[in-house]
Amino acid sequence: MRFLRLATLFCLLGSLASFTLRGDRPAYRLFTSTGQPADYDQMLAELTQADVVLFGEQHNDALAHWLELQVAKDLLKLKKPSQLVIGMEMFERDVQPLVAQYAAGTLADTAFERQARPWPNYGTDYRPLLQFARENHLPVIGTNAPRPFARVVAQRSLTALDKLPGADRALLAPLPLKVDYDLPGYKNMAAMFGGSSQAHGGGAQNIIQAQALKDATMAHFIETSRQPGQTLLHFNGSYHSDHHDGIVAWLRQSAPKLRVKTISVVTQEQLQTLEKEQVNVADYVVVVPADAAKTY
């Protein structure tokens, strides 16, 4: 009888152990560009050696925003405050004085949120990053082209910017821009219109040019906002940096010696392996569950 009880107990413990293994539910998994499981600490060690880190997010992904803050915090543990700069697509160049004042602690929350045109999900997704920068005296750089300029390019092409006054030109990448329509990201945008950008003329070309204006402007202010020895950690939509395209391509043109690392957040139904279409999307790929919480 005693033996029977022990055997039953061992069977029960074995069942519980196997249940625990099957019930493991990681919030995310990290992979290298080739799809190999990656070590978070090793990734951080590489990021500290980079001049620029582009963290490509899905804008409504709650897990991505949490991880962005963790990467910023952990980089600061490995670098001096003077060696880390935060850059953000979410703020446009004309509100940079407000961003700088807020990061320095000289502008109140209410005034900043009223004047700086923060995105609708600012409070949940980006305010924690600004608070972190503010508490640790880190500079924050808004890098994006002001929306009115991107809008007019989408409507009328880059030629609409030819006669901009100097004060407006200072908010953008140096003009005129020479857009490489053969970049994979821009070719993909053209494909959405059913063909090549050149074949579709105004519509497709103009939208690609508006995207290029944003990419080039972000690249320009990333390059000009960091000093030697600093790492600029930049947060942007993944489409702006996936496949080492977009911002990365413009950085290669203007500053080919910069050491750039990319991270991309993708969603999958399963987290065990990196799916084929996500291979080489970035130097490090963060896979989060498809049913993870969204902030909007």
Side-chain angles (χ1 to χ4, degrees), residues 58-63 65 121 124-125 292-296:
Q58 303 300 316
H59 295 315
N60 64 348
D61 191 323
L63 274 174
H65 294 302
N121 57 325
T124 55
D125 298 344
K294 302 294 186 287
T295 56
Y296 64 89

Side-chain angles (χ1 to χ4, degrees), residues 5-278:
R5 282 189 211 155
L6 286 172
T8 303
L9 178 61
F10 285 135
C11 286
L12 178 60
L13 289 173
S15 297
L16 287 172
S18 64
F19 174 79
T20 301
L21 289 172
R22 287 197 301 270
D24 183 26
R25 293 290 185 269
Y28 73 92
R29 287 196 185 277
L30 184 64
F31 295 91
T32 66
S33 61
T34 59
Q36 298 301 309
D39 178 78
Y40 179 84
D41 290 337
Q42 178 59 38
M43 178 186 77
L44 276 178
E46 288 192 28
L47 299 187
T48 60
Q49 300 303 311
D51 299 315
V52 175
V53 177
L54 300 174
F55 199 128
E57 64 172 37
Q58 303 300 316
H59 295 315
N60 64 348
D61 191 323
L63 274 174
H65 294 302
W66 171 82
L67 188 58
E68 287 172 342
L69 183 58
Q70 306 316 306
V71 168
K73 288 179 176 179
D74 291 336
L75 280 177
L76 186 58
K77 292 175 184 175
L78 299 174
K79 301 182 79 74
K80 299 175 182 177
S82 61
Q83 296 175 321
L84 185 61
V85 179
I86 303 297
M88 302 180 74
E89 172 197 1
M90 300 79 200
F91 294 100
E92 298 162 23
R93 285 306 300 171
D94 59 319
V95 301
Q96 177 57 33
L98 300 173
V99 174
Q101 291 172 43
Y102 185 77
T106 59
L107 184 65
D109 283 74
T110 52
F112 179 74
E113 293 179 29
R114 187 174 64 251
Q115 300 173 46
R117 302 193 307 274
W119 288 10
N121 57 325
Y122 164 76
T124 55
D125 298 344
Y126 304 114
R127 186 175 183 274
L129 283 168
L130 285 177
Q131 289 292 300
F132 165 75
R134 187 172 183 163
E135 291 165 4
N136 290 280
H137 310 291
L138 303 178
V140 180
I141 310 299
T143 60
N144 209 353
R147 274 167 272 191
F149 299 127
R151 189 180 305 119
V152 75
V153 169
Q155 295 168 347
R156 295 165 45 200
S157 86
L158 281 166
T159 59
L161 306 180
D162 287 347
K163 296 182 180 179
L164 279 183
D168 288 342
R169 283 175 171 259
L171 303 174
L172 302 168
L175 298 173
L177 293 181
K178 184 177 181 181
V179 180
D180 181 358
Y181 294 101
D182 288 328
L183 289 174
Y186 299 159
K187 290 177 75 173
N188 287 340
M189 291 181 70
M192 296 177 191
F193 290 82
S196 72
S197 56
Q198 289 89 340
H200 279 271
Q205 271 198 355
N206 292 355
I207 291 173
I208 293 168
Q209 288 179 9
Q211 178 81 0
L213 178 67
K214 294 179 181 181
D215 290 338
T217 298
M218 286 190 271
H220 174 68
F221 288 106
I222 286 169
E223 178 192 351
T224 58
S225 298
R226 63 169 295 279
Q227 301 297 319
Q230 290 182 327
T231 294
L232 194 149
L233 175 60
H234 190 265
F235 302 106
N236 52 265
S238 61
Y239 199 83
H240 290 289
S241 54
D242 277 357
H243 302 287
H244 297 90
D245 205 354
I247 297 170
V248 184
W250 288 97
L251 282 173
R252 285 199 192 110
Q253 286 186 33
S254 59
K257 293 185 179 180
L258 281 181
R259 296 168 296 177
V260 179
K261 289 291 181 182
T262 60
I263 302 170
S264 185
V265 179
V266 304
T267 59
Q268 295 183 175
E269 294 294 336
Q270 56 81 28
L271 305 188
Q272 285 71 35
T273 59
L274 187 65
E275 294 174 359
K276 185 177 179 180
E277 59 268 28
Q278 311 297 359

